[in-house]
Amino acid sequence: MTAEIIVVTSGKGGVGKTTTSASLATGLAIQGKKVAVIDFDVGLRNLDLIMGCERRVVYDFVNVVHGEATLKQALIKDKRYETLYVLAASQTRDKDALTQEGVEKVLQGLSEEGFDYVVCDSPAGIEKGAHLAMYFADHAVVVVNPEVSSVRDSDRILGLLSSKTRRAEKGEDAIKQHLLLTRYNPARVAVGEMLSVKDVEDILGISVVGVIPESENVLAASNSGVPVILDETSHAGQAYTDTVARLLGEERPLRFLEVQKKGFFQRVFGG
Ligand SMILES: Nc1ncnc2c1ncn2[C@@H]1O[C@H](COP(=O)(O)OP(=O)(O)OP(=O)(O)O)[C@@H](O)[C@H]1O
Ligand SMILES: [Mg+2]
């Protein structure tokens, strides 16, 4: 059994990759999968904060790559789910601390430990860290916001995914690309301030695997170290649950694409 490697990547920074990595990894663990989520953002670690395990980081990804700790020592077991583990990024090392061989060794180690999925949270940009995060991937979740600059930059990432990865170099089956639209705000789409789902799909030529609405619950979840997928009352959390189901092959309709009716009279009488 080999682990399926999923990279969560984007062209533009700050679009919701770490938020997405935390929720997808948690959602896969809820489905009974053994999952490791790795923070590739050397120097700017924050996945551990969003997963709520920052105080338990002793060893990190770079320590394992450099042989200063074993994988077992560095993997932090999630306090909520038995089969979920976090590998934190180093806060202090320089950006060149990761090497292709080192990353490969860690991914192989995780496969040997019986992990079903490894979720790689990519850093922003198209520099070395982002390249290493995608290089060994079987699946790519390309996170995009409904705005022109984000969509334009995603196009570059889609190009890199089909040319600069191990699968591409070895002529194997291409990485499976999944487009995830996040911070979707139907009210702003309605007035033409944001691109619609269809606009984004048309521009990029692939269909979305999920649409995560803009939600203040996301920040609240991050601040309390609980991935938003565990906030079952939030639309963002529910949309991530749907996305995990789709990644596992289930068909589910998109939700939360319409403007929410606000106010008592509108709720009671419609309109
Ligand atoms: N669906 C959402 N609704 C509201 N805010 C969101 C949503 N998704 C992400 N955010 C917010 O957007 C900001 C950036 O999110 P996040 O850190 O996940 O992005 P990133 O792509 O990992 O950033 P970077 O490129 O710097 O690593 C955070 O403040 C996060 O709370
Ligand atoms: Mg991030």
Side-chain angles (χ1 to χ4, degrees), residues 10 12-20 41 44 46 50 121-125 143 145 182-184 212-220 222 236 240:
S10 70
K12 199 163 165 267
V15 293
K17 292 181 295 295
T18 302
T19 304
T20 296
D41 210 342
L44 273 175
N46 65 354
I50 293 182
D121 177 19
S122 178
V143 180
N145 291 165
T182 67
R183 310 198 69 161
Y184 195 74
I212 313 298
E214 170 88 21
S215 159
E216 52 200 28
N217 299 80
V218 172
L219 190 59
S222 303
Y240 274 119

Side-chain angles (χ1 to χ4, degrees), residues 35-221:
V35 187
V37 55
I38 306 181
D39 190 345
F40 274 74
D41 210 342
V42 171
L44 273 175
R45 80 175 207 221
N46 65 354
L47 177 70
D48 50 321
L49 287 168
I50 293 182
M51 294 294 295
C53 66
E54 73 280 4
R55 283 189 298 274
R56 286 185 288 147
V57 178
V58 178
Y59 292 114
D60 57 52
F61 190 20
V62 172
N63 291 136
V64 182
V65 163
H66 288 225
E68 295 152 359
T70 64
L71 201 45
K72 278 207 169 115
Q73 284 175 294
L75 282 171
I76 304 168
K77 192 172 182 174
D78 184 76
K79 56 194 171 206
R80 295 162 286 240
Y81 294 96
E82 282 281 306
T83 60
L84 178 58
Y85 293 80
V86 178
L87 192 51
S90 164
Q91 232 158 6
T92 52
R93 303 292 187 110
D94 66 302
K95 298 269 177 201
D96 291 326
L98 294 179
T99 60
Q100 193 161 298
E101 299 70 44
V103 171
E104 185 170 24
K105 194 181 73 179
V106 169
L107 296 176
Q108 261 165 10
L110 290 167
S111 262
E112 284 158 18
E113 289 293 323
F115 279 86
D116 298 306
Y117 289 96
V118 180
V119 177
C120 302
D121 177 19
S122 178
I126 51 169
E127 301 306 315
K128 190 174 171 203
H131 175 68
L132 287 175
M134 74 168 66
Y135 188 74
F136 296 100
D138 303 301
H139 295 263
V141 173
V142 178
V143 180
V144 58
N145 291 165
E147 47 190 56
V148 172
S149 62
S150 172
V151 173
R152 191 190 307 118
D153 290 352
S154 316
D155 227 4
R156 283 182 81 186
I157 285 293
L158 292 172
L160 291 175
L161 286 169
S162 47
S163 60
K164 293 266 196 183
T165 53
R166 182 171 63 173
R167 281 176 172 274
E169 285 174 7
K170 296 212 161 161
E172 295 172 359
D173 290 346
I175 288 188
K176 293 187 193 67
Q177 298 173 345
H178 312 272
L179 193 63
L180 183 67
L181 191 51
T182 67
R183 310 198 69 161
Y184 195 74
N185 185 330
R188 296 190 61 195
V189 174
V191 295
E193 288 174 8
M194 275 188 170
L195 301 173
S196 69
V197 177
K198 185 167 182 306
D199 292 336
V200 175
E201 289 182 331
D202 285 351
I203 296 169
L204 293 175
I206 50 177
S207 52
V208 297
V209 71
V211 178
I212 313 298
E214 170 88 21
S215 159
E216 52 200 28
N217 299 80
V218 172
L219 190 59

Side-chain angles (χ1 to χ4, degrees), residues 178 180 208-211 239 241-255:
H178 312 272
L180 183 67
V208 297
V209 71
V211 178
T241 298
D242 288 349
T243 302
V244 170
R246 290 188 203 104
L247 286 171
L248 291 173
E250 209 179 293
E251 285 197 17
R252 290 199 182 184
L254 295 173
R255 293 193 278 170

